[in-house]
Amino acid sequence: MTAHVQHRRIRVDNIDTFYRTAGRPDAPAILLPHGYPCSSYEFRNLMPRLADRWLLVAPDYPGAGYSATPDGFDYSFDGYAVFLDRFVKTLGLDRFALYLHDFGSPIGARLAMLAPHRVTALIIQNGDVPYEDALGPKYADIEATWALPPAELRLAIGDSITEASFQEEFLNHVRPDIAERISPDLWTLHWSLMTARRKEIAIDLIAGLKQNRFWFAQHRQYLAKHQPPTLIVWGPQDHYMPEASARAYLRDLPDAELHLLDGGHWLLETHLDEVATLIRTFLQRVHAAGANGRNA
């Protein structure tokens, strides 16, 4: 039986926040922070496939999806991590597995570092990696703009934020037979939600990748110190984060479970069943290990 996804709104620090949820309120939770240029929409198909055993929660960040775009909000990786912290506290989620994908990876990792005991497991799927030597060729294009003066950098980023670039972000150089599985709804919907203010927010985030580079060491330190149970499921056809990016995590998480699928950056669009099965098996094993540890 397929569970229904519920679409809800809640106020988080007085910010009108849209989120999707599925599953029993008393079930173990999975928190699903989204990437760019997307929203909680990216998890719409995964959620009902796991809702028989888990509570899945996927918010839209302020300035993204169907959430509000308030003035005075800190639209940065740090600001979004603080927002997620307030979001889970508002919902009363004190323990959860954490899905790290795209920009949701540096945001979610910051959240994990705020209170490591809350994170029961990590599921890393083509997340932005904290390993400088394992980034793909498209990151070199981003890095090339960092030498520009700030005003020119923002102008260059702004010129690159178009509906065509959204389409390119979602297709991301996968083979034609894989690209055919990726719905044009993704870039059409998310471009329709773009406003002048939201474009400035996107510029801030992309420009913030330069500063985020200095945060890589803290991210790696968190992984090495806390060793959260981790599933790495990856699409190597990703010009931002290729196979080398996935394997780099094993430097600090040698016991992580790694699976390479024949896809790219948006596996939930192209390899949903395989990813859902891997998550189910992994989280069942983590739950069983936790129960055995409590009974020891």
Side-chain angles (χ1 to χ4, degrees):
M1 181 177 178
T2 301
H4 294 290
V5 176
Q6 305 295 319
H7 306 87
R8 298 177 179 171
R9 310 195 80 92
I10 192 173
R11 299 201 74 83
V12 178
D13 289 342
N14 210 33
I15 298 171
D16 179 27
T17 302
F18 174 87
Y19 71 101
R20 303 169 198 261
T21 186
R24 301 189 325 272
D26 60 341
I30 307 174
L31 181 64
L32 304 161
H34 64 80
Y36 170 86
C38 209
S39 66
S40 62
Y41 185 77
E42 73 171 277
F43 300 111
R44 70 199 181 282
N45 295 322
L46 176 68
M47 298 174 78
R49 282 169 168 76
L50 298 175
D52 60 317
R53 275 198 77 159
W54 292 278
L55 170 67
L56 297 103
V57 182
D60 286 350
Y61 308 141
Y66 298 129
S67 287
T69 308
D71 294 331
F73 183 82
D74 178 9
Y75 293 101
S76 68
F77 295 120
D78 289 333
Y80 280 135
V82 171
F83 165 79
L84 283 181
D85 180 58
R86 298 297 303 147
F87 175 76
V88 297
K89 287 176 178 175
T90 301
L91 289 185
L93 298 179
D94 56 3
R95 297 271 287 167
F96 45 83
L98 188 56
Y99 193 105
L100 302 181
H101 173 244
D102 194 85
F103 279 4
S105 179
I107 295 168
R110 282 167 165 81
L111 173 70
M113 291 167 61
L114 288 173
H117 66 276
R118 292 188 300 196
V119 178
T120 59
L122 297 179
I123 302 157
I124 308 177
Q125 188 259 294
N126 293 76
D128 280 30
V129 298
Y131 303 94
E132 296 90 336
D133 62 334
L135 295 168
K138 291 207 75 170
Y139 258 100
D141 296 339
I142 294 173
E143 292 167 357
T145 67
W146 291 352
L148 295 173
E152 292 183 29
L153 171 62
R154 293 185 63 84
L155 183 62
I157 295 172
D159 288 345
S160 72
I161 299 175
T162 64
E163 184 172 7
S165 72
F166 273 31
Q167 178 178 354
E168 182 181 351
E169 291 289 333
F170 285 111
L171 296 179
N172 197 358
H173 299 278
V174 294
R175 291 196 318 268
D177 60 307
I178 302 298
E180 289 176 351
R181 305 181 197 176
I182 301 176
S183 172
D185 295 340
L186 283 162
W187 55 88
T188 303
L189 168 63
H190 290 96
W191 183 251
S192 75
L193 296 171
M194 180 61 69
T195 64
R197 179 69 186 99
R198 288 187 169 194
K199 187 171 184 178
E200 290 298 316
I201 291 167
I203 292 171
D204 288 341
L205 276 177
I206 296 170
L209 288 170
K210 181 178 181 180
Q211 185 63 32
N212 186 62
R213 185 63 55 88
F214 300 106
W215 180 82
F216 278 13
Q218 296 177 59
H219 189 165
R220 295 192 299 264
Q221 184 179 31
Y222 159 76
L223 297 174
K225 177 179 179 180
H226 294 281
Q227 292 294 305
T230 301
L231 169 68
I232 304 169
V233 56
W234 213 267
Q237 296 175 48
D238 185 337
H239 279 211
Y240 284 110
M241 285 151 281
E243 179 177 337
S245 302
R247 295 192 180 280
Y249 277 106
L250 299 177
R251 302 174 193 174
D252 293 303
L253 296 169
D255 295 328
E257 179 180 328
L258 171 63
H259 296 269
L260 300 173
L261 304 184
D262 185 25
H265 192 74
W266 300 91
L267 288 178
L268 297 185
E269 299 298 320
T270 62
H271 293 73
L272 175 65
D273 290 337
E274 295 96 318
V275 174
T277 297
L278 289 169
I279 293 174
R280 177 178 294 275
T281 303
F282 168 70
L283 289 182
Q284 285 175 336
R285 186 168 61 252
V286 169
H287 180 75
N292 290 336
R294 288 192 297 273
N295 293 332

